[in-house]
Amino acid sequence: MTDLLQELHLPDTLRDALLTRRGEDGQILALVEATERQDEEIAQELCGRLGIPPGILGGLSLDALAWSAALP
């Protein structure tokens, strides 16, 4: 994966997020993954770290699903 990311010329913050789950982008990615796994405990912890009210997480997930379904 490291080789592929070098070819994509992504900003360091995104590359680090994808490889190590560090930084704010990494925590957001970890939150998405926890939500997909339905790991409520980890999702709640990450929401707290990111300042995201846990009550809106479900709505955000539905919005993301609707957005991805509308892609060509």
Side-chain angles (χ1 to χ4, degrees):
M1 183 165 186
T2 303
D3 294 337
L4 174 65
L5 292 176
Q6 286 177 346
E7 290 182 29
L8 294 175
H9 304 289
L10 295 173
D12 290 344
T13 55
L14 291 180
R15 184 175 35 83
D16 290 345
L18 290 167
L19 292 174
T20 66
R21 304 306 187 263
R22 291 190 186 143
E24 185 176 31
D25 291 334
Q27 289 188 2
I28 292 169
L29 178 57
L31 175 58
V32 169
E33 292 170 335
T35 302
E36 288 176 345
R37 287 191 316 271
Q38 298 179 344
D39 188 334
E40 283 288 316
E41 185 177 334
I42 296 296
Q44 297 297 322
E45 178 184 330
L46 289 164
C47 279
R49 287 188 204 165
L50 292 163
I52 298 172
I56 68 167
L57 189 57
L60 293 173
S61 295
L62 291 175
D63 289 346
L65 286 172
W67 174 81
S68 66
L71 293 173

